[in-house]
Amino acid sequence: MKFIHTSDWHIGRQLHNQSLLDDQAFVLEQIIALAAEHKVDAVIVAGDIYDRSIPPANAVALLDDVLNRLVQDLGLQVIMIAGNHDGHERLGFAAKQMAASGLYIVGPLSADIHPITLSSTSGDVVFYPLPYAEPATVRQVFECEASSHEMAMDVLLEKVRQHDSQGLPKVVISHCFLDGGSESESERPLSIGGADKISPKLFTEFDYVALGHLHGPQYKGAEHVRYSGSILKYSFSEQHQHKSVTLVELGAQTPIDIRLLPLTSLRDVRILEGELDTLLAQGKTDIKREDYLMVRLLDKHAILDAMGKLRAIYPNVLHLERTGLMAGQQQVALSRDHIKKGEMDMFCDFFSQVSGESLTQAQQAVMDDLLTKLHNEERQA
Amino acid sequence: MKFIHTSDWHIGRQLHNQSLLDDQAFVLEQIIALAAEHKVDAVIVAGDIYDRSIPPANAVALLDDVLNRLVQDLGLQVIMIAGNHDGHERLGFAAKQMAASGLYIVGPLSADIHPITLSSTSGDVVFYPLPYAEPATVRQVFECEASSHEMAMDVLLEKVRQHDSQGLPKVVISHCFLDGGSESESERPLSIGGADKISPKLFTEFDYVALGHLHGPQYKGAEHVRYSGSILKYSFSEQHQHKSVTLVELGAQTPIDIRLLPLTSLRDVRILEGELDTLLAQGKTDIKREDYLMVRLLDKHAILDAMGKLRAIYPNVLHLERTGLMAGQQQVALSRDHIKKGEMDMFCDFFSQVSGESLTQAQQAVMDDLLTKLHNEERQA
């Protein structure tokens, strides 16, 4: 049995108000191509299919297209579970009618854990898709005590342990936060204060564990207890991550084989740091200048329409930080005199940017008078 | 081939802010039972499955349950098209993966009209599901001229005419407004000023036409060009309608047989008219006092908390009209004296309702003075 493990597609997500649908379509296209190239039997998506419980219509249309390609065109089996971002009822609609085609979507948690046995020429495997569930949901569905995420997960995993797979390998699919996992800024915490953490030890006994939630690819506790990571960088904190899907091969007789298949994004997500003139000059020969950028400007003086100037070269600057200016401002003491001086400096910068010339001494004197007068009026008011 | 034709389920709809989900579950249960009792081969739902393009999650869960009962439990084939209320992309998600189970959902219009041949022991029939589409959508999808709903429908029907059904009967499923059809208040107009009207003649050549949109069951042009009507009364204007589904039997050799199967609602939707005391007295022995009611009170005097008094007997009064009071008010001329007299009358009614006694002459005099004083001040202001 050979399958691709992926997760955290977050279809419909935006990055700083920029739609990523084209980027998502581009990378999902690669997953379809990789599935074909490696002749996999199945694709497993471990939750956060959509970014929101009510995804935009074009996100629904994109997922529909991807599933048609995988299931109808390539004849693959696909198992998806709902993550903490998904709307469980919506995602699970008509799931029973899809199963006959080899598409298994598990939305709301149910008391039957519905193991799915998939067949392949190299042996069969039993998959246990466990959708994301709050401890309160687990308590309600299984009528049990489970105050923490870990206790709730143990209730679910006990069902998996008890199920007789007839000697076939057991693969658990889950969307949760393993203790010690490294986080990115784009994950929405499952719970406040660390109550969402689950010991990786709970999972090590299974043959493979396909996890979703953390956006960086990683394993915890054992090499076969894995996060595939998201398909795109969904925050600038992920700039140094390498996104991939996980290719897994396992069978009753064969030792497990795990490989990462790298994904290429249409536009990278990265941080540029430097002075404006340097960045603008570099940009002219930067073949990746259409990447999604956060720019940290080190210039210490005011700049008129810095964003506009940057976007003329780098069209997808999404966020601008005036690191240099902030550093300068932090040094300014809060006395009235200092603030006045700050305004004068700001105006000098502004004037020279607009006119291309520096203020003359006479002009400076007029400006200084004006500022003093304004501050006096302010004090009297 | 025996099938049930129904439409306009509007799952998730409210009536005067009252959720109808229980009522919808109750009547959909009957449709499942009728399908089993009459041993039908298929159920056809001609649009407006949901009431909104983004239905609430409990509406999605109800439809999921109904489809599981029809498709999984009864083994029936179900064809649904999107109506003008439905979100086409959302409703059509994963439709290709459902078809293998006998569930055919047609969301967005596509250039292929996808005829569906359903088999039965009494012969096969070809169904042509045409989802609701604006003329602009038809122009775009078929790259044609079609300025009106009628011209757009003709483009679609031409595809149906051209399709070779190998001598099998042709059933068209459509969601539109036929010219001359009788409307209810609960339908959302497809277009302003009558541009949505389509001649019934366009449809008469087909063996059966399963229509949705109009909420009263009716046929237009010919007996086999039919609206099944909605499953519930969705406005008080429908109080005298009898809701039903349509049972259709047809085959290559057999003449068509059409019967209406009545539906019973959990709570009826009706208008009560009369004086408060009479209605309250009647209500005590009214076994249908939990119906959804619009009450028209004929009393000509002011009544304190009429809604509260009515709801103590009739818990589901959704709307109250003071018909008697309105009629009285219309007769009042707009002179200052008449208005003053009106206020005095109103206060007398109010006082006797609260205290259970009439105003004494002395009390009336005080009140009269007060009103005169108030009006004088008002005039001077």
Side-chain angles (χ1 to χ4, degrees), chain A residues 260-273:
Chain A
L260 299 192
L261 307 178
L263 297 174
T264 309
S265 57
L266 183 58
R267 285 167 279 238
D268 199 6
V269 172
R270 58 193 173 100
I271 301 175
L272 268 188
E273 197 171 270

Side-chain angles (χ1 to χ4, degrees), chain B residues 160-230:
Chain B
V160 179
R161 289 181 205 112
Q162 283 170 10
H163 181 256
D164 179 9
S165 72
Q166 314 269 333
L168 297 175
K170 288 184 172 185
V171 173
V172 173
I173 309 167
S174 175
H175 192 91
C176 62
F177 183 18
L178 289 197
D179 197 10
S182 53
E183 297 170 77
S184 309
E185 278 174 15
S186 56
E187 296 137 12
R188 187 201 295 160
L190 304 178
S191 172
I192 305 299
D196 49 357
K197 288 181 181 166
I198 296 175
S199 165
K201 284 182 192 154
L202 255 65
F203 289 97
T204 46
E205 69 184 281
F206 304 108
D207 296 280
Y208 184 78
V209 181
L211 295 172
H213 182 56
L214 296 181
H215 288 182
Q218 58 196 290
Y219 63 86
K220 272 292 138 220
E223 273 203 57
H224 68 284
V225 179
R226 282 200 170 256
Y227 289 98
S228 62
S230 60

Side-chain angles (χ1 to χ4, degrees), chain B residues 300-303 325 328-351 359 364 367-368 371-372 375:
Chain B
K300 290 191 163 42
H301 59 280
I303 298 171
L325 204 61
Q329 282 180 352
Q330 281 160 11
Q331 290 159 12
V332 175
L334 287 172
S335 78
R336 178 62 64 184
D337 278 0
H338 273 92
I339 289 172
K340 198 171 77 180
K341 198 178 164 194
E343 281 160 353
M344 191 63 195
D345 279 352
M346 295 278 275
F347 185 76
C348 292
D349 289 343
F350 172 76
F351 185 85
L359 284 173
Q364 280 198 34
M367 198 59 207
D368 205 39
L371 282 171
T372 308
H375 284 300

Side-chain angles (χ1 to χ4, degrees), chain A residues 291-310:
Chain A
D291 284 352
Y292 295 125
L293 299 176
M294 177 201 280
V295 174
R296 289 189 178 135
L297 281 187
L298 299 181
D299 304 79
K300 291 190 163 43
H301 58 282
I303 298 172
L304 191 70
D305 191 21
M307 187 60 117
K309 285 172 182 157
L310 283 164

Side-chain angles (χ1 to χ4, degrees), chain A residues 90-163:
Chain A
R90 281 172 218 283
L91 193 67
F93 173 72
K96 284 184 184 159
Q97 285 77 51
M98 297 173 194
S101 297
L103 173 59
Y104 304 88
I105 298 185
V106 186
L109 183 71
S110 65
D112 296 323
I113 55 158
H114 293 302
I116 301 166
T117 304
L118 296 190
S119 301
S120 78
T121 50
S122 58
D124 299 355
V125 168
V126 187
F127 290 85
Y128 300 86
L130 309 176
Y132 173 73
E134 303 277 343
T137 308
V138 174
R139 287 198 294 275
Q140 194 188 354
V141 171
F142 290 93
E143 294 174 359
C144 64
E145 295 296 313
S147 56
S148 67
H149 279 256
E150 181 163 289
M151 288 166 77
M153 184 60 75
D154 198 44
V155 169
L156 301 184
L157 292 179
E158 186 55 30
K159 299 280 168 188
V160 178
R161 289 181 205 112
Q162 283 170 10
H163 181 257

